[in-house]
Amino acid sequence: MIRIGVHGASGRMGRSVVDLVRNQYAEHAEIAATVDRKSGGIDALAAVDAIIDFSLPAGTMTMVDWFEDQSGELPIYICGTTGLTDEQHTRLAGIGESTIVFHATNFSVGVAALSALLRFATPTLTALGYTPTIAEVHHVHKLDAPSGTAKTLSEVISPDDPDAIDITSIREGEVIGKHSVTFSGLADRIVIGHEASDRNLFARGAIEAALWLCQQEESCGNYTMEAYFQKRFLN
Ligand code: NAD
C-alpha cells in the first residue's frame, strides 16, 4: 500500500487527487496526509511514500524549503504546480539530489503523446514552410498565462528559441484545458491539439506516476514527462 500525501489538498486539483485515490485506487494507495496553506501539519508529509503537490508557486517553494530541512529517506515528490520562475525551477530541481522529483506542467498522458507527435512532425512541417503557433484556453480562475503546458509545447516545437513561438491565451468560463498547435502554410493550416474534459485526467496521471515511481529502483533524480512517457509507455 503506497501512502500518498497531498499538498494543495483543498484546491481543485488537490481535491481531485484525494477523491480519486480514495475511490479508484484504494487497493493500491491511501491518502496518509493532506496539507494546504491554512491547515498546517506539513511535517505529516515525512511519513508518506509520495507527495503530490498541486498548489501555487509559493506553496511549492514551501515544499522545497521543507525538503531542504529533511534528512534520511525522503518521499518521492510529484509536482504539478505551474507558473514557477526559472529560479524556482532551479531550486525545485535541486531536491532531485535527495529524492526522486517529477515536475510536469501537464500530467495527462494525452498531452505527452501530443508532445511526441509534435517532436516527430515539427521538423518536417517547418522545413515545408509551415509556421507554428499555439493557442490555449482555460477557466477564468487560472492564475498563470500562458499556461505551463503551452510553454512546454513551445519548448518541444522550438527547443532553441521557445519564446519565438506565438502563444494566444484565452480565459473563459470553466474550461478545464484546451491546447492547439497550428502550423500555418500559404494556403492551408494543419492543427494538432488536445482537449481535457475532466481534471481527473491530470490527477490520475499524477497518481499513476506516483505508483510507478514508488516501484522504481532509483532513490533520487529529476524525471521529466518526456523521460517518464518514454520509459513507461514506449519501451
Ligand atoms: P487551486 O487554486 O484550486 O488550488 C491551489 C491550492 O493550493 C489551494 O487550495 C491553495 O490554498 C493552495 N495553496 C496556495 N498557496 C499555498 C501555500 N503557500 N502553501 C500551501 N498551499 C497553498 O488551483 P488548481 O486548479 O487546483 O491548480 C493548482 C496548480 O496545479 C496550478 O499551478 C495549476 O496551474 C496546476 N495544474 C497543473 C496540472 C498538471 O497536470 N501539471 C493540471 C491542472 C492544474
Side-chain angles (χ1 to χ4, degrees), residues 7 10-13 36-37 55 59 80 82 104-107 142:
H7 190 241
S10 307
R12 283 175 288 267
M13 284 305 306
D36 203 278
R37 190 185 343 227
S55 58
T82 63
T105 56
N106 196 308
F107 273 104
K142 185 165 177 62

Side-chain angles (χ1 to χ4, degrees), residues 14-161:
R15 291 195 307 267
S16 181
V17 171
V18 170
D19 287 350
L20 262 188
V21 169
R22 288 189 175 144
N23 296 320
Q24 293 186 28
Y25 288 87
E27 268 182 45
H28 309 288
E30 64 182 349
I31 296 295
T34 53
V35 178
D36 203 278
R37 190 185 343 227
K38 291 183 188 137
S39 69
I42 194 169
D43 285 332
L45 295 174
V48 307
D49 301 302
I51 297 168
I52 298 180
D53 179 12
F54 283 102
S55 58
L56 293 177
T60 290
M61 287 306 105
T62 303
M63 282 307 316
V64 169
D65 290 341
W66 180 83
F67 269 109
E68 286 174 352
D69 285 345
Q70 305 302 304
S71 55
E73 199 179 329
L74 299 179
I76 288 169
Y77 185 34
I78 313 279
C79 179
T81 304
T82 63
L84 301 179
T85 64
D86 289 347
E87 194 186 327
Q88 289 171 329
H89 265 292
T90 304
R91 285 200 61 210
L92 171 59
I95 303 305
E97 288 177 18
S98 319
T99 186
I100 295 180
V101 175
F102 184 3
H103 177 242
T105 56
N106 196 308
F107 273 104
S108 96
V109 171
V111 166
L114 171 67
S115 297
L117 286 175
L118 289 169
R119 253 180 228 107
F120 172 75
T122 303
T124 304
L125 294 177
T126 51
L128 289 170
Y130 288 90
T131 303
T133 55
I134 297 174
E136 54 105 345
V137 189
H138 281 90
H139 52 87
V140 293
H141 317 286
K142 185 165 177 62
L143 294 180
D144 54 324
S147 68
T149 304
K151 288 188 190 169
T152 302
L153 292 176
S154 70
E155 288 161 12
V156 169
I157 295 166
S158 177
D160 295 335
D161 189 8

